[in-house]
Amino acid sequence: MVLIFTKVKDYIVVRHDAAKLKDEQLKTALEAVSHYPEYRAQSIKVQKELEEKIEELKRSQDANTERLKIMEESQKKLERNKLRDRILQSYRYFTDKDRNPAQTWNRMEAESFWELIGEYEKRDGNGYVHTVVIPAMNLLTVVEMNELLDDENERSAE
């Protein structure tokens, strides 16, 4: 009987401890569930704060992008104006009958000029450079460097 009593007692104690542990776990779970609305509210608050900060960063990024576009356009315009000025200097010099009576230029000068035109067009240059300058420059005769040197040597010999 004592042996049976001891075994029953041990069994009841183990069952009691297991039930007590289960009750503790259930109590912890119920407590966590009862705080769910509070946790959810915190989560929503953090999510809104993050969304606001992301939106603020997006607005800042958009503003920076717009400033960069304006700066790039300004730089492009400045370069285009410098190129147009150099093109017009060449145009005035080479098409002036007093300064260039033969209406010629050498290959190096011609290539340099046409490269300027190419750079000018890359920067959206247009207008009278295309309607006045280019047609006039196309009328000039390209003279090879050795021909120019021969002419100078003949003039020196005279």
Side-chain angles (χ1 to χ4, degrees):
M1 271 290 223
V2 172
L3 186 61
I4 292 175
F5 175 74
T6 307
K7 285 190 178 193
V8 169
K9 179 182 141 202
D10 289 343
Y11 176 76
I12 291 174
V13 168
V14 168
R15 292 280 293 155
H16 177 267
D17 289 345
K20 190 175 180 182
L21 180 63
K22 188 175 179 181
D23 286 346
E24 286 291 324
Q25 289 174 341
L26 204 74
K27 183 179 175 186
T28 304
L30 287 172
E31 191 175 309
V33 168
S34 70
H35 289 295
Y36 176 76
E38 180 183 323
Y39 297 150
R40 178 71 178 139
Q42 287 176 346
S43 175
I44 290 172
K45 180 182 175 191
V46 168
Q47 185 177 359
K48 282 184 181 179
E49 288 173 1
L50 288 174
E51 285 175 354
E52 288 171 2
K53 290 186 187 238
I54 289 170
E55 187 59 35
E56 184 179 325
L57 284 171
K58 184 181 179 303
R59 283 193 300 271
S60 176
Q61 183 72 21
D62 289 346
N64 286 339
T65 300
E66 190 59 34
R67 277 196 295 274
L68 277 174
K69 283 180 183 177
I70 290 169
M71 287 173 53
E72 285 175 353
E73 188 59 37
S74 177
Q75 185 67 26
K76 185 175 162 182
K77 192 182 248 184
L78 178 66
E79 285 296 318
R80 185 174 56 230
N81 288 339
K82 286 179 181 179
L83 288 166
R84 182 174 44 238
D85 182 54
R86 289 180 59 199
I87 289 168
L88 290 176
Q89 287 175 8
S90 293
Y91 165 74
R92 287 186 200 108
Y93 177 80
F94 287 109
T95 59
D96 185 344
K97 301 240 186 216
D98 293 332
R99 287 192 222 163
N100 186 13
Q103 296 292 285
T104 60
W105 55 351
N106 66 44
R107 181 153 315 279
M108 184 172 58
E109 292 165 333
E111 287 176 2
S112 175
F113 176 81
W114 295 117
E115 285 175 12
L116 284 176
I117 292 291
E119 290 298 318
Y120 178 71
E121 289 172 341
K122 282 181 190 174
R123 288 166 179 80
D124 299 329
N126 57 17
Y128 60 89
V129 168
H130 290 95
T131 58
V132 175
V133 175
I134 291 175
M137 298 302 272
N138 278 328
L139 296 175
L140 297 173
T141 304
V142 176
V143 178
E144 297 300 329
M145 288 298 290
N146 57 357
E147 293 175 28
L148 288 175
L149 293 174
D150 290 344
D151 288 346
E152 284 182 25
N153 289 339
E154 285 177 17
R155 276 187 253 140
S156 305
E158 292 175 357

